[in-house]
Amino acid sequence: MTTAGDIMHRGAQWIPAHETLDRAAQLMRELGVGALPISDENERLCGILTDRDIVIGCVAVGHDPARVTAGEMAQGTPRWIDASADVDTVLHEMREHRIRRLPVIEDKRLVGMISEADLARHLTDEQIADWAGSVYAPSSTTH
């Protein structure tokens, strides 16, 4: 059985909720990623910040990314998956919530991220087509 831990990208890093968006953007550049899990003071997942969030939710509305924190951008309930979950569970979670990146947790700590690129490397063409069809489908036709 292939698990989330088998297909994830290891080495994912948190951005603490108190850090500013300019620091988050710098960390994204350093790591070569477009999303960072946001951690609370206990290093627990409290959200995910994307490069798009910074641009659309901060810069485009005239806010200063040096004054807005990652925690202020965290919205909704963050989704995650246990490292031991099988790939079908991973795909279900991503499909059900229409998400493209999924933090992987083991023993209550971040151990990796699953992105579209990870799916493309590890899944069959049929699995990818099914996932993409549901994640990218117009809202009115989703589950």
Side-chain angles (χ1 to χ4, degrees):
M1 168 183 78
T2 303
T3 66
D6 296 330
I7 67 169
M8 71 182 181
H9 173 79
R10 295 191 177 280
Q13 290 187 25
W14 300 109
I15 186 78
H18 68 271
E19 286 286 354
T20 59
L21 297 185
D22 62 341
R23 177 62 192 129
Q26 292 164 2
L27 186 57
M28 286 179 188
R29 183 189 64 223
E30 290 167 15
L31 298 173
V33 299
L36 294 169
I38 303 169
S39 69
D40 65 14
E41 63 279 352
N42 297 313
E43 291 194 355
R44 306 292 178 173
L45 181 66
C46 65
I48 295 181
L49 178 68
T50 67
D51 48 7
R52 186 176 194 281
D53 294 333
I54 295 169
V55 172
I56 302 297
C58 179
V59 176
V61 295
H63 295 155
D64 181 355
R67 296 186 181 273
V68 178
T69 66
E72 291 174 272
M73 296 298 291
Q75 298 177 0
T77 303
R79 308 307 306 180
W80 56 273
I81 197 84
D82 190 89
S84 64
D86 65 50
V87 170
D88 288 336
T89 303
V90 170
L91 293 174
H92 175 78
E93 184 72 12
M94 293 176 85
R95 261 191 228 108
E96 186 71 20
H97 299 285
R98 299 187 72 188
I99 55 178
R100 298 176 183 110
R101 298 171 181 100
L102 189 61
V104 181
I105 307 293
E106 186 173 59
D107 297 324
K108 299 181 182 179
R109 297 289 178 228
L110 178 70
V111 293
M113 281 283 263
I114 296 174
S115 68
E116 294 167 305
D118 297 314
L119 296 179
R121 279 192 294 275
H122 295 283
L123 301 181
T124 67
D125 289 345
E126 183 179 309
Q127 287 173 307
I128 294 168
D130 182 49
W131 174 82
S134 59
V135 170
Y136 290 105
S139 303
S140 61
T141 61
T142 59
H143 312 282

